[in-house]
Amino acid sequence: MSAVKFSIKICLFIALGSTCFGSIAANNALPQLVEISQSRLAKSPLSQRSAIELNSSSWLTGLPSVSLSYLGDLDNSNIYEQELSLNLPIKTFSLHQSDKQLVQLSQALQAQQTRLQKLYLSGLLRQSMWDQRLAAVKLNQLERKSRLLSKLYTQQKKLADAGELPLVNILLLEKELVDIELEQIGFKQQQTEALTLFTSLTGLNQLPDDIVEKAIDIGEFSAPEHVQTALMQHPSWLLHSLQLQQKQLMLQSQQSGEQDPWTLSLTAKETAVDQFNDKHLGIGINVPLSFSSALSQSDVSMWQKDFQEQSVNGERIYLELTSQIQRLAIQQQNLRAQQTLLTRGVSLSRSITENLAQVKNQNQIGYEIWLRRYIDALDTEARLALNQVTLQQLHSQQLQALGISL
């Protein structure tokens, strides 16, 4: 599975330099963005080079062979024998049935790999869009705070120049403004990185405005039995299950001797003795006898090792997905609790600023106190807005963990 993800990542980096689609409106439906990403990924040079047409014979297990033999005398008595045979390795009926099951499994594997690719691309798209949205909310809060502090700085600078205010007040305000600019640089970088990832996936230069996905009640999945039921439909788990079925079918086929073909031989033979030529046409069949297992001990050891690795891999997939879902459920509970407290905090902050507004014009100290409390109120409102966006992002992460694509 890690190899599949690795190949997808390589394709994404190659697709980054390929020709982009024309500009598309930013209000694309989210599923359409995944389709665009899949289309770009399929057209990448690596995907084209790795596309190999494979097929198998419906009635032969290998290539036909021709054998030719000639036997001559050693005493120059003009006696010789020559034989020509056409050998056809024919599939048994049981091997035919196994091949049909393998074809069905291969088609199911391909479908799950496509689902897994879609889920992986959905995860990258969700990451890029929500990273950009969170950075935008934080930048908006910092911009509002910077404007208010700049206004206070202008007023206090005049008082400091007139000698009515200590210089340290101005320096402290300048330090606050510098800190805000430093924070803005980090969030702007986050926005740029998010847009770069989004553009590399879709070829679009603008993220959609509406990125909130349809609400699904995730709470019901918190119970262990519900989590297990949901994970049985996860593309990663289904892919692992199909791979295991494929290996088991191949092992059973090899163990029962189905891989050993029935060899049909069409033979033409000529024997010459003096003036007499004897010509024959014949047919023969070579049937393997399966009295015991057709596996060698080295084959058995290899299969046992392979199945042990598959079992460990399946347990790892299940534990990772289960722990991720449970962790997200706990985060959701905490964010909802914070949402309630922040809502109460916003109400209190507004009441405080309203009461302080009555004395803000009496003197400079009163104004500064009011402005500081007003900034605190804006910070609380910003935390409330950020918490709401984080809850929406968490919902997308839960859908991703459950294997639900955009």
Side-chain angles (χ1 to χ4, degrees):
M1 194 150 13
S2 59
V4 175
K5 292 184 177 180
F6 180 72
S7 300
I8 294 176
K9 288 182 178 178
I10 294 178
C11 291
L12 288 174
F13 284 116
I14 294 178
L16 184 60
S18 60
T19 304
C20 296
F21 287 104
S23 178
I24 303 178
N27 57 351
N28 282 290
L30 298 181
Q32 185 179 355
L33 295 177
V34 182
E35 295 176 0
I36 293 174
S37 300
Q38 286 182 306
S39 178
R40 284 171 57 82
L41 193 58
K43 293 179 181 179
S44 67
L46 183 60
S47 295
Q48 293 175 358
R49 286 197 296 267
S50 61
I52 302 175
E53 293 293 335
L54 299 175
N55 54 66
S56 63
S57 173
S58 59
W59 59 282
L60 293 179
T61 63
L63 294 175
S65 63
V66 175
S67 59
L68 176 65
S69 64
Y70 176 84
L71 297 175
D73 61 337
L74 298 177
D75 55 2
N76 297 323
S77 59
N78 199 25
I79 298 175
Y80 68 89
E81 182 179 288
Q82 57 186 8
E83 182 177 319
L84 175 65
S85 295
L86 174 62
N87 306 305
L88 303 174
I90 299 176
K91 291 182 178 180
T92 63
F93 175 77
S94 57
L95 185 56
H96 265 289
Q97 297 302 111
S98 296
D99 283 354
K100 288 182 180 179
Q101 296 179 41
L102 283 173
V103 169
Q104 294 174 354
L105 282 174
S106 296
Q107 293 173 348
L109 278 168
Q110 185 176 3
Q112 290 305 319
Q113 287 171 345
T114 301
R115 281 191 63 202
L116 189 61
Q117 180 199 63
K118 183 178 180 181
L119 180 64
Y120 180 67
L121 292 173
S122 296
L124 293 177
L125 287 169
R126 283 165 170 154
Q127 175 188 335
S128 64
M129 292 185 294
W130 285 109
D131 281 354
Q132 195 276 342
R133 179 62 55 85
L134 288 170
V137 172
K138 293 174 182 177
L139 282 171
N140 182 59
Q141 185 265 342
L142 289 175
E143 182 62 31
R144 294 171 66 185
K145 186 175 181 180
S146 177
R147 287 198 300 267
L148 290 174
L149 289 178
S150 297
K151 185 177 180 180
L152 178 61
Y153 175 83
T154 300
Q155 294 179 354
Q156 292 196 353
K157 183 70 166 58
K158 294 179 180 179
L159 294 176
D161 292 342
E164 300 178 8
L165 196 67
L167 181 61
V168 67
N169 290 36
I170 303 301
L171 296 177
L172 289 173
L173 279 174
E174 287 184 356
K175 178 63 167 56
E176 286 188 74
L177 290 171
V178 169
D179 290 340
I180 290 176
E181 290 182 10
L182 288 174
E183 288 187 77
Q184 287 176 324
I185 290 175
F187 292 130
K188 287 178 181 179
Q189 179 181 346
Q190 181 178 329
Q191 277 190 319
T192 302
E193 292 175 352
L195 180 59
T196 300
L197 176 58
F198 182 82
T199 302
S200 69
L201 292 169
T202 64
L204 306 177
N205 296 319
Q206 185 177 358
L207 281 79
D209 296 326
D210 185 10
I211 63 174
V212 179
E213 300 182 57
K214 181 180 179 181
I216 298 178
D217 185 11
I218 306 297
E220 62 182 20
F221 295 111
S222 58
E225 61 274 12
H226 293 162
V227 170
Q228 184 174 1
T229 301
L231 291 184
M232 292 301 102
Q233 302 302 318
H234 195 285
S236 296
W237 178 261
L238 289 175
L239 182 63
H240 165 76
S241 178
L242 289 171
Q243 289 172 339
L244 189 59
Q245 292 179 42
Q246 185 184 51
K247 290 181 180 296
Q248 289 176 335
L249 181 60
M250 293 172 63
L251 174 60
Q252 292 171 359
S253 176
Q254 185 176 349
Q255 183 178 21
S256 61
E258 294 176 358
Q259 302 297 326
D260 298 327
W262 290 21
T263 304
L264 179 66
S265 300
L266 304 176
T267 306
K269 182 177 180 180
E270 179 183 10
T271 303
V273 180
D274 294 333
Q275 301 300 320
F276 175 75
N277 286 350
D278 189 14
K279 297 180 179 180
H280 300 276
L281 291 176
I283 185 172
I285 186 169
N286 181 11
V287 180
L289 301 177
S290 56
F291 292 116
S292 62
S293 174
L295 294 174
S296 65
Q297 184 56 47
S298 61
D299 292 331
V300 172
S301 299
M302 180 190 68
W303 282 109
Q304 288 176 341
K305 178 178 178 295
D306 197 12
F307 277 118
Q308 288 175 353
E309 292 177 351
Q310 287 287 330
S311 177
V312 172
N313 188 39
E315 293 173 356
R316 179 186 59 80
I317 293 173
Y318 177 78
L319 291 175
E320 286 181 355
L321 293 176
T322 302
S323 61
Q324 185 179 13
I325 291 173
Q326 293 173 343
R327 176 173 52 82
L328 292 174
I330 294 174
Q331 290 182 10
Q332 186 181 53
Q333 293 176 358
N334 293 336
L335 287 173
R336 286 174 175 173
Q338 292 177 21
Q339 191 79 355
T340 302
L341 293 174
L342 286 170
T343 302
R344 175 62 177 163
V346 168
S347 177
L348 292 173
S349 296
R350 288 176 178 173
S351 299
I352 293 173
T353 53
E354 288 174 1
N355 290 328
L356 289 175
Q358 300 175 4
V359 297
K360 71 174 182 178
N361 296 325
Q362 294 180 4
N363 52 58
Q364 180 60 30
I365 297 178
Y367 176 79
E368 182 176 355
I369 293 175
W370 171 83
L371 186 61
R372 290 292 182 182
R373 297 287 75 78
Y374 183 66
I375 291 176
D376 290 341
L378 291 181
D379 287 343
T380 306
E381 291 181 5
R383 288 182 61 191
L384 179 63
L386 183 62
N387 198 76
Q388 180 63 37
V389 174
T390 305
L391 269 171
Q392 295 170 344
Q393 180 195 31
L394 183 65
H395 182 70
S396 291
Q397 292 174 343
Q398 289 175 319
L399 295 177
Q400 182 74 22
L402 290 170
I404 302 174
S405 303
L406 285 174

